[in-house]
Every structure is written in C-alpha cells, then in structure tokens.
Amino acid sequence: MHHPTGADGDTRRWHLDHIAWDRLVRQLMTDVDEVIGPVMRSGVVRLRRLTDVGDLAIGVVDAQDAGSYRATGSSMPTRFDHGPGPDSLKAIVHPAETPVWTIRRRDGELRVEPAPPDTTTRAVIGVRDCDLRALQVLERTQTSGPHPDASFAARRDGFVIVAVDCTRPAATCFCTSTGGGPAASTGFDIALTELADDADVHYVARAGSARGAELLDLVANRADPAVVARADIAVASAADVMVRTLPDHARTIVDVPDHARWAEVAERCLACGNCTAVCPTCFCTDLVDEVSLDGETSTRRRTWDTCFSEQYSALGGEPYRRSTASRYRQWLTHKLGTWWDQFDESGCVGCGRCITWCPVGIDLTDEVAALLQPEAVAP
Amino acid sequence: MTVATAPESFDPMITPVEHVVTDVIPEIPDVVTLRMVPTTGDVAPFLPAQVSMVGAFGIGEAAISISSSPSERAYHEYTIRHAGAITSALTHLRRGDRLWTRGPFGRPWDLHPGGDLVIAAGGIGVAPLRSAILHTVEHRDLFGAVVLVVGARTSHDLLYRREYEAWRDAGIDVIATIDHDEAGWSGAVGFVPTVIGDLEFGADTRALICGPDIMMRRTADALVAAGVDPDRIQVTLERNMQCGTGRCGHCQLGGMLVCRDGPVADYPSVARALSIEEW
Ligand code: SF4
Ligand code: FES
C-alpha cells in the first residue's frame, strides 16, 4: 500500500480535531498577510481570502462532468470532500492582471517607474496534488530562464501551503495518469488527510517542511497508528475511482497536425478560452499599455492572454492562426507535446478543469483518444 | 530615461532603456530606418540578427531587428515597415523623439569565418540581414565567395538599393531580382528560389535566408537541390512577440520559443514547422 510521507521521508504524523484545526488556521492568520482557502461563492467552490476560520466552505460535495459543475450540501461537516474548483494557485502566483511599470513623460523625456515587487506573504489551504505539481510546472515557465519574473518568485517564496489528499476525486480528474495524485506529493508545508466519522471531521497531517512541522507541533498532537492507517486507506482507494485517463504517448498528437479531428473539434469549440483561463499551467500573457487622459502617464499591465484569441498570433495586425482548428491544435499540442521541447515536461497535470469549465463540454481525453486513432483512409 | 527605483541587477530585457531618434531615413514606400542612441550610457553591443523590443510612449512595442553594423558603436539602426498599428506609429517618429528598447536579444546568424556565403532575402527580409551583410563587407577576407540574392515585387521595393554599389565594391556579388520585368530593368527577373537554382555552390557554402515563411522554404529547398548541406542553412523567424523573455508564450513555433531559441534557426530544425499551415 501507498504510504504518503512528509519531506525527506519524515514519517511523523499529527492529528487535528476541530479545535486543533481552528488553531492552525488562526496561527496562519497571524503568521502571514493573507490566508486563502476554498469558500462558496455563487454555488461554486472558489479560492478566496479568508477573514475568519468560519469562511471556509463546510459540508460541500460536488458533481463535475464535461461542461457541468454542481456543488451541493452534504450532511457531514467536511471541508475538502469536493473536487478542484475553477481556481488554482495560478491566479494567486501569476495573477490575471499585474502592474509592470508606469512611464511619465515630461518635456518629451521619459521616466520609468517599475512596479514594486509583490512581497505579500500568503498561506493557501486545501491545495490538491495536481495544483502542487502545476505550481512547479508554472514556476519553470516563469522563473527558469535568463529573465525570471521576480514577482512570481517573491510570491512563491511567500507561500505557506497546506495541501489536502484527495479522497473523492471529481469525475473529471485524471491526475493518476499524468504521474501524480491523489495524495499530496511535493512542495507543501503541511499535507492533510480528511477523515469523517459520524458528525466528527478530523485530520491526519504530515509535514513537508521544517516550517510545516513547527506549525503542527504548535497546534496539534501526534496521531496514533490506527488513525494513520485509516487515512492511508482512504487516499489509496481514491486512485481507483478515476475513470478518465491520458495515455502515456499523448504527446505524439504533434505528429498528426492534419488529422481530421482538429477540424471536427473546431466545429464545437467556441474559441472562448475558458479552458486556458482555468488551466493551472496556461501561462500566456499580454502586455497592455494605457495612456492617462492627460497624456502624460503610460501604465503597462500584464494580463492573461489565450492562444484561442485571433490576435494572439497576429503579426502586423494579421492573425497567423486564423482558424479555430489551428488554435485548438496550438493549445492541445503545446500542452501535451511541445511543452516537452520547451520545458522538458508535460504541461498537463490532470486536474480536469478544462473539461468541467468548457461551455460545450469538450473533453481533452476524448480528443486525444480520437487523435491517436489512425484516420480512415479515403476510398 | 531615469529609473525611479534602481533594480539590484539591471536587466535590459525587463527595464527599458531610453533612446532618442537622431535620424529618420526614408527607404522604400512604407519603410523607414530609425537611427537612435541611448540617452545615457553606451550603445549596446549586439550580434547580427539580434532584435529588440522597440517601444514608444502611447504606442506600444514591436520586435525589430537591428539593421546597422555590429561594429558601429555610435548608434543603432532599425528598419521598420509600416504594417500594424504599432509599427505604423513607429515609422512616424521624428528626430528628437524619445523611445525605448528592451534588448538586444536572440540567437544571431552563425558567421564563423571560412567558406562561401550565400545570403537570400525576400522583400523586407533584407533588413534582418543587413547587419550580417555589413559585417561581411567589413571582413570580406574572412569568407570565400559571397553572393547576395535580393528579391522584391518591383524595383521600387528593393530595400537598401543605394548601398548595392558599396557592397559590390567590397566584393559581394549582389543579384537583385524582381517578380515581373519592368521597362528599364536590366537585372534578374523571377523569384529568389528560381534565381538560386541557377547558381552553383561549393561544398563549404553556408546560407542565410530571411523572408516570408514560404520563400524561406522554397529557397532552402533550392539550395539543397543545388548541393548545399541542409545543416549549413540558417533561417530567421518572425512571430508575434510580447515579452522577449520567454515567458508570455506568444512567439511559439512548435517546440520553439522564438524569442528564446531564435530568431535564427538551423533550417532542418524548423523545416517541418514552417511547412504546416497555421502551425
Ligand atoms: S475547448 Fe471549450 S473552453 Fe476551450 S476554447 Fe474551446 S469552447 Fe472554450
Ligand atoms: S515573446 Fe514572449 S515568450 Fe517569446
């Protein structure tokens, strides 16, 4: 059986009842500038800043499928018995909009004021393994080159991550076929397994960093072996329920740029870019300059962009990828194929968000399966 | 330009460097060359084919290659064609106007000494080649035969035509070709790949190609057919660029991030990508 461990094989386990849980969240609130966790907003589990321990979503389960998401109440006061919501760590560490600089013009001369780096420290509660891995994938795109994004690195360094093992993956999840999950594997300070007995929700915790271990020592006691064994079983059985898969050779879709399936999926795809917005690793951005009304100040912002937009590829005002088929193909071949050439790994972590949040229910696992089928030879 | 908060380590790809336009040289219709110098500090060193993000207040930025000689330390020149809104606004700048650059960056042409050189340019594609041409003009003894084939739609679209004489005087065989014959034209007629097909090349020939994707493919094919080693053929790629730092994704061409891995590429590594429609 799979035994999750903390950092460097740290086998210590802590046990948190609801009192210890509240203590942990309150401790985080004093330790960092912002504590972020899953809260209910308009019927959807979102990652939002908490102002109080009680803000966390409680007793929520969800049903996800291609193009559909429904969160409902359950009788158990669980906090993490749902799949991933639309938000990942991306929105926090690589925000949808960030200031870059302000340029002031005086008598024709320019004075540039770079935006100050973001030094806010943040704790994020309820991070799943897909998102832990996505953070590393995203980090590689933004900080591994010769011109790293200093704000990304600062935000990343300011994180305290409280991860959660998935015991009830969503129907759209396929992380195990992308080399991860359902247990939190990497890059966390604390990882929790949620256990529910009757009306009692409690946690078994392991530490992934010295800071995590200190926090746990402060708020909780060590767990006894019986409860640890139960936690391990709950996590191990979650892996077996995943129905969707991505084949190991998914990256070979780059070899079939003329496959008829690209045109076929383009008839359904709206080119809305929802999939890229919810994807925890889609990193593309645009630079937008805006001049103040008095004409003396120009402000540059960096905003999320999407390869589904016509302007994304435009050269001299002319789009290069004119067809939706070529844009869907760019997205999927990059995510699964050419990401390897660029960053030496896949861009997909199997969170399934693009499947759930696609308004027309396009499922990349289906598309990949079809693309890997040889085409019928025309008579 | 003054930087309000000095970053610990200055990165010219992230913090813009203010320049002033010292000359605007009209070229062919819709094309001008901007000569510029930094308002403080030295002119940045660069290698042929390297580009900068060139930006102006209220206009935005575009990736443009430096077209002056790499040995020219008094200024940089950027030849800009009025295409989209940004380049169009850049072509309207005047002497004394301030602008900025982030750069230079990118993989340059491989101009190792020795062997013959064939340089093929289609249309405005001669601009990213001009610094390489000027380099060979200045170091003519480092190369064997040097042939430059420049193609344009009409004789009025031949960029840098007034410089041909100096290039020829330096020992470069300049062949200008236009798509259709014109009254008074005594040069070649036809597309660049066709003209290339009529030439002969030694085994140690190195080729530099810049032009529209289709022109680069056809020219490379013609060179290979004429016996040039495909591994010695280089092309330079143009894609939408925003960041120039390998982080925004816009400049992808298959497995390449053109701002990080290009703009110069060995032809065999991009031949397939260039042959796929809308790749
Ligand atoms: S695949 Fe779905 S979510 Fe993505 S752009 Fe197309 S319609 Fe939108
Ligand atoms: S221009 Fe942004 S990644 Fe190349």
Side-chain angles (χ1 to χ4, degrees):
Chain A
M1 202 178 81
H2 179 69
H3 292 278
T5 56
D8 305 323
D10 181 351
T11 52
R12 287 177 296 170
R13 301 296 192 91
W14 288 260
H15 183 251
L16 288 83
D17 57 14
H18 72 273
I19 295 168
W21 170 261
D22 284 1
R23 240 190 258 139
L24 173 65
V25 177
R26 293 217 168 88
Q27 187 62 43
L28 290 168
M29 285 180 157
T30 60
D31 286 359
V32 298
D33 301 327
E34 293 180 3
V35 177
I36 295 164
V39 303
M40 282 302 278
R41 287 282 185 280
S42 311
V44 177
V45 177
R46 308 295 305 258
L47 278 183
R48 289 289 181 267
R49 188 173 173 187
L50 311 179
T51 51
D52 184 81
V53 191
D55 290 349
L56 284 167
I58 292 213
V60 175
V61 291
D62 62 7
Q64 303 195 33
D65 208 338
S68 88
Y69 176 95
R70 198 161 37 85
T72 50
S74 88
S75 56
M76 292 301 294
T78 50
R79 295 181 181 83
F80 306 108
D81 204 15
H82 45 75
D87 306 302
S88 65
L89 293 172
K90 176 172 82 171
I92 305 167
V93 75
H94 185 62
E97 184 168 317
T98 38
V100 177
W101 69 43
T102 300
I103 294 181
R104 293 180 205 287
R105 181 166 62 174
R106 259 199 108 141
D107 304 326
E109 288 181 26
L110 308 176
R111 179 184 162 86
V112 61
E113 295 163 14
D118 181 356
T119 53
T120 310
T121 56
R122 299 174 179 90
V124 192
I125 296 174
V127 182
R128 313 303 175 114
D129 190 61
C130 52
D131 288 343
L132 294 171
R133 290 184 296 126
L135 177 62
Q136 295 184 344
V137 172
L138 196 58
E139 187 169 18
R140 189 176 281 204
T141 70
Q142 297 303 300
T143 66
S144 70
H147 312 285
D149 178 354
S151 279
F152 186 108
R155 284 188 281 262
R156 170 77 189 86
D157 290 346
F159 272 164
V160 178
I161 293 183
V162 179
V164 181
D165 299 326
C166 290
T167 43
R168 191 208 292 266
T172 40
C173 293
F174 56 98
C175 60
T176 48
S177 65
T178 63
S185 60
T186 176
F188 56 81
D189 294 285
I190 293 173
L192 307 166
T193 311
E194 187 173 66
L195 293 168
D197 308 303
D198 303 326
D200 184 28
V201 172
H202 55 122
Y203 300 90
V204 170
R206 57 194 188 277
S209 69
R211 182 165 192 178
E214 271 167 40
L215 271 163
L216 287 169
D217 273 337
L218 203 61
V219 302
N221 297 319
R222 295 295 168 80
D224 70 65
V227 71
V228 170
R230 280 187 49 211
D232 289 353
I233 290 167
V235 177
S237 47
D240 304 331
V241 306
M242 272 182 235
V243 286
R244 285 179 162 86
T245 56
L246 197 65
D248 287 343
H249 60 301
R251 63 187 287 187
T252 61
I253 60 168
V254 297
D255 299 332
V256 291
D258 299 320
H259 200 290
R261 185 72 178 196
W262 298 116
E264 197 276 323
V265 65
E267 302 210 335
R268 288 174 283 139
C269 176
L270 312 173
C272 64
N274 272 13
C275 47
T276 62
V278 296
C279 176
T281 69
C282 269
F283 60 84
C284 288
T285 52
D286 211 4
L287 295 172
V288 183
D289 289 350
E290 220 161 53
V291 179
S292 62
L293 286 176
D294 66 6
E296 293 310 307
T297 314
S298 171
T299 312
R300 171 167 290 195
R301 292 170 297 138
R302 191 189 69 187
T303 61
W304 284 354
D305 200 357
T306 173
C307 54
F308 282 93
S309 99
E310 201 172 41
Q311 283 307 305
Y312 176 89
S313 63
L315 259 185
E318 283 295 307
Y320 174 75
R321 294 187 197 98
R322 296 175 306 277
S323 65
T324 299
S326 71
R327 288 181 245 148
Y328 186 86
R329 184 182 66 184
Q330 167 61 27
W331 179 63
L332 201 62
T333 55
H334 182 221
K335 187 68 49 189
L336 304 177
T338 51
W339 205 293
W340 284 95
D341 303 303
Q342 294 167 7
F343 303 110
D344 212 21
E345 60 189 340
S346 169
C348 180
V349 295
C351 72
R353 288 185 177 94
C354 59
I355 303 173
T356 299
W357 298 98
C358 174
V360 294
I362 294 171
D363 177 342
L364 86 165
T365 63
D366 285 347
E367 298 313 312
V368 169
L371 287 160
L372 294 177
Q373 288 295 316
E375 287 181 86
V377 180
Chain B
M1 131 168 37
T2 39
V3 175
T5 47
E8 290 147 25
S9 58
F10 176 77
D11 182 343
M13 281 314 301
I14 291 177
T15 309
V17 176
E18 189 189 40
H19 281 63
V20 59
V21 177
T22 57
D23 223 334
V24 180
I25 303 150
E27 304 280 358
I28 54 176
D30 288 345
V31 179
V32 302
T33 294
L34 296 182
R35 187 175 284 181
M36 62 182 84
V37 298
T39 50
T40 51
D42 294 332
V43 171
F46 74 99
L47 293 166
Q50 286 197 307
V51 295
S52 296
M53 301 306 302
V54 178
F57 189 92
I59 291 175
E61 278 178 347
I64 303 170
S65 54
I66 304 176
S67 51
S68 43
S69 163
S71 70
E72 178 55 72
R73 307 309 297 271
Y75 54 79
H76 280 160
E77 285 176 344
Y78 293 85
T79 298
I80 303 170
R81 182 167 61 116
H82 166 159
I86 295 172
T87 49
S88 151
L90 289 174
T91 58
H92 289 106
L93 290 176
R94 286 180 304 208
R95 184 182 307 178
D97 283 347
R98 304 292 171 111
L99 72 177
W100 69 79
T101 66
R102 291 190 298 118
F105 63 93
R107 180 179 158 191
W109 298 113
D110 175 1
L111 285 165
H112 271 87
D116 296 344
L117 205 55
V118 52
I119 302 175
I124 183 87
V126 68
L129 282 162
R130 182 165 171 258
S131 62
I133 296 167
L134 295 174
H135 175 79
T136 54
V137 164
E138 292 161 24
H139 304 280
R140 185 62 192 83
D141 52 318
L142 297 181
F143 303 93
V146 180
V147 187
L148 167 64
V149 181
V150 188
R153 218 163 44 80
T154 74
S155 62
H156 307 289
D157 301 310
L158 286 165
L159 186 57
Y160 309 131
R161 199 171 162 189
R162 64 176 180 277
E163 299 178 45
Y164 290 177
E165 198 177 311
W167 298 351
R168 286 187 174 123
D169 287 349
I172 296 180
D173 183 6
V174 180
I175 303 173
T177 178
I178 57 175
D179 291 359
H180 306 285
D181 205 4
E182 289 171 18
W185 176 254
S186 56
V189 174
F191 297 129
V192 171
T194 320
V195 173
I196 294 272
D198 292 338
L199 302 174
E200 278 170 24
F201 302 99
D204 59 353
T205 299
R206 184 177 292 136
L208 319 180
I209 314 175
C210 183
D213 289 358
I214 177 93
M215 171 270 175
M216 295 199 288
R217 272 172 53 211
R218 298 244 160 93
T219 303
D221 290 348
L223 286 163
V224 173
V228 175
D229 177 358
D231 288 329
R232 293 173 72 89
I233 299 175
Q234 305 164 60
V235 296
T236 185
L237 304 161
E238 192 187 12
R239 287 295 179 271
N240 181 314
M241 284 192 194
Q242 298 280 320
C243 69
T245 57
R247 294 200 252 119
C248 80
H250 279 266
C251 66
Q252 288 176 70
L253 175 64
M256 275 183 94
L257 287 164
V258 172
C259 73
R260 183 189 76 174
D261 309 319
V264 169
D266 297 326
Y267 180 64
S269 71
V270 290
R272 176 175 175 273
L274 289 177
S275 71
I276 302 169
E277 200 60 27
E278 299 182 273
W279 188 237

